[in-house]
Amino acid sequence: MQTSVFVCDAHPVVQIGVAACLSGDQSIKVVGSGIWSEGTLQAAANSNPDVLIFDMNQSKESRTQLKRLSAACPTAKLLIFTGASNLEETVHALEAGASGLITKWSEPEELRIAIQRLMRGDHYLEPTVALQVIETLKSAEARRREMASMKLTFREEQVLKCLLQGKTNGQIADHLTISEKTVKHYVGCLKDKFNAANRLEVVLTAQRYAL
């Protein structure tokens, strides 16, 4: 049985290119395509595809569009075809219900493999994207372990939170009901632990660790 595919992409040339890439595989049939519009949404719903290929950029609008397409084609497997490959984009796509993601510079065979994997009930991330996700997660875990090794005290955490909010020493003192001298002491402790030259570097380091 053929796998039916619908392509929703902002570029007509990409729609044609995807159809051409898949035309040599007798097990796959493109049943429709179009740029995003209400008409395309209805056409996708009417064609009831097995796989819905969607061009997702980094805008909130495209995430809304994907959710609407997903609702219009509830049984379709969603495959993101994108020019972006960052972790945030991948996470947004998966949160929106996508089962797979490949980039627009992937080989044609990659597209066919992705469709086949989705039809088997698997999730699929292009290997280069999957590697980026793994490396990002490794880096995040390394930062978490490094941060844990700093062992901030409760008061240091309170002062750091205030620094991240842009409070001055006087405002921190008022907020925590301590003296400005005590605030300066804890800011100094934070600079030592973060190996920072000033309070701005403390804030930037804390933001890097996503505190």
Side-chain angles (χ1 to χ4, degrees):
M1 186 173 68
Q2 282 186 316
T3 296
S4 58
V5 174
F6 190 96
V7 183
C8 181
D9 194 287
H11 307 92
V13 69
V14 174
Q15 299 171 30
I16 296 170
V18 170
C21 288
L22 299 176
S23 62
D25 192 328
Q26 297 302 311
S27 68
I28 301 174
K29 180 181 180 181
V30 176
V31 296
S33 65
I35 63 174
W36 172 261
S37 67
E38 292 300 322
T40 298
L41 181 66
Q42 188 59 54
N46 292 340
S47 65
N48 191 29
D50 296 312
V51 176
L52 179 60
I53 297 176
F54 179 68
D55 171 26
M56 186 172 182
N57 55 42
Q58 298 183 56
S59 69
K60 291 182 179 180
E61 183 180 48
S62 72
R63 297 167 199 164
T64 300
Q65 292 169 354
L66 179 58
K67 290 179 180 179
R68 291 191 62 194
L69 280 167
S70 178
C73 307
T75 62
K77 303 289 186 181
L78 303 180
L79 176 61
I80 302 303
F81 195 42
T82 179
S85 62
N86 57 63
L87 179 60
E88 182 182 4
E89 178 69 10
T90 303
V91 170
H92 282 309
L94 297 176
E95 287 179 340
S99 296
L101 183 147
I102 64 173
T103 61
K104 290 186 176 181
W105 49 85
S106 60
E107 295 294 330
E109 183 61 21
E110 195 81 48
L111 180 58
R112 290 191 287 271
I113 291 173
I115 292 173
Q116 292 166 358
R117 291 281 292 275
L118 263 58
M119 290 307 296
R120 290 204 298 265
D122 298 330
H123 282 73
Y124 186 83
L125 290 180
E126 182 179 320
T128 54
V129 177
L131 181 61
Q132 183 185 48
V133 171
I134 291 171
E135 289 302 319
T136 300
L137 292 175
K138 283 183 178 178
S139 297
E141 176 60 18
R143 290 195 300 271
R144 187 196 66 76
R145 289 197 300 268
E146 187 176 346
M147 190 64 236
S149 69
M150 292 181 183
K151 297 180 180 177
L152 299 184
T153 66
F154 175 70
R155 185 64 84 183
E156 287 170 347
E157 289 179 353
Q158 287 183 313
V159 171
L160 178 58
K161 183 177 180 180
C162 290
L163 290 176
L164 287 168
Q165 294 171 346
K167 287 184 169 64
T168 65
N169 283 0
Q171 291 171 328
I172 295 173
D174 290 340
H175 180 72
L176 299 180
T177 319
I178 56 179
S179 69
E180 285 194 48
K181 182 178 180 180
T182 301
V183 172
K184 289 180 181 179
H185 165 74
Y186 284 114
V187 170
C189 292
L190 290 170
K191 287 195 292 185
D192 290 341
K193 289 187 176 181
F194 285 18
N195 193 27
N198 50 54
R199 60 194 292 140
L200 176 59
E201 287 188 10
V202 169
V203 170
L204 293 175
T205 301
Q207 290 175 336
R208 174 172 170 261
Y209 287 114
L211 294 178

